[in-house]
Amino acid sequence: MLPSVAGLANTAWVLSSLPSWQRFTRHSSSPETTQRALLARYLAGNADTAFGRKHDFARIRSWETYAAAVEPRTYDDLTPWIERVMAGESGVLTADRIKLLEPTSGSSGSRKLIPYNSALQGEFQRAIAAWICQIVKQDRSV
């Protein structure tokens, strides 16, 4: 029996997802190191944003100094920053261009708008790719 078009498409998708799964697997052995490297990359890439300048991202070199400089906040605390993005200002929360403000109801309260850019989209895609590969791998080993 010949494979279906959907079966071929799924196979192609899983194969194209393998690099993400391999990267995830490789970095899973040292999650703290990986997370610290990601934080350093995000801080460097966003040091010249309004939020990054206010919190002195350019001088932050560790998770510990980040935690001291950027206190936890609620969505309401971020609303003024998001309103600036809504008004068309660039470089507010991220150096990357905001593609859209994704509405979500969250778990409580009213609708919230989440800034969504290409970098975030790429992170979601890589995470989903790694997850799908892991599911296929587990399914085939059963």
Side-chain angles (χ1 to χ4, degrees):
M1 174 190 278
L2 291 174
S4 68
V5 172
L8 290 172
N10 285 339
T11 299
W13 184 46
V14 168
L15 291 173
S16 71
S17 298
L18 282 172
S20 291
W21 177 76
Q22 290 166 330
R23 188 177 318 109
F24 176 80
T25 301
R26 184 173 58 251
H27 290 294
S28 294
S29 65
S30 55
E32 182 177 351
T33 301
T34 299
Q35 291 298 306
R36 286 181 181 273
L38 285 171
L39 177 62
R41 188 176 84 210
Y42 297 146
L43 291 169
N46 292 292
D48 199 32
T49 63
F51 192 85
R53 286 188 301 274
K54 177 166 177 50
H55 295 89
D56 211 8
F57 282 8
R59 294 181 192 260
I60 297 174
R61 297 288 180 256
S62 70
W63 155 251
E64 293 77 13
T65 54
Y66 173 82
V70 183
E71 67 280 356
R73 54 192 81 207
T74 66
Y75 182 84
D76 289 338
D77 296 330
L78 293 171
T79 298
W81 299 94
I82 293 171
E83 287 173 347
R84 289 171 64 179
V85 172
M86 289 173 59
E89 187 177 341
S90 61
V92 176
L93 291 167
T94 177
D96 294 338
R97 184 180 70 79
I98 301 295
K99 295 172 74 168
L100 62 98
L101 292 162
E102 183 73 39
T104 178
S105 61
S107 56
S108 65
S110 62
R111 177 180 88 142
K112 297 168 179 68
L113 296 173
I114 309 302
Y116 197 90
N117 61 22
S118 294
L120 180 60
Q121 181 180 16
E123 295 220 5
F124 281 135
Q125 289 172 337
R126 285 186 298 278
I128 291 168
W131 174 53
I132 292 299
C133 282
Q134 186 64 33
I135 288 172
V136 169
K137 182 178 182 287
Q138 286 173 337
D139 184 54
R140 292 196 174 155
S141 66
V142 174

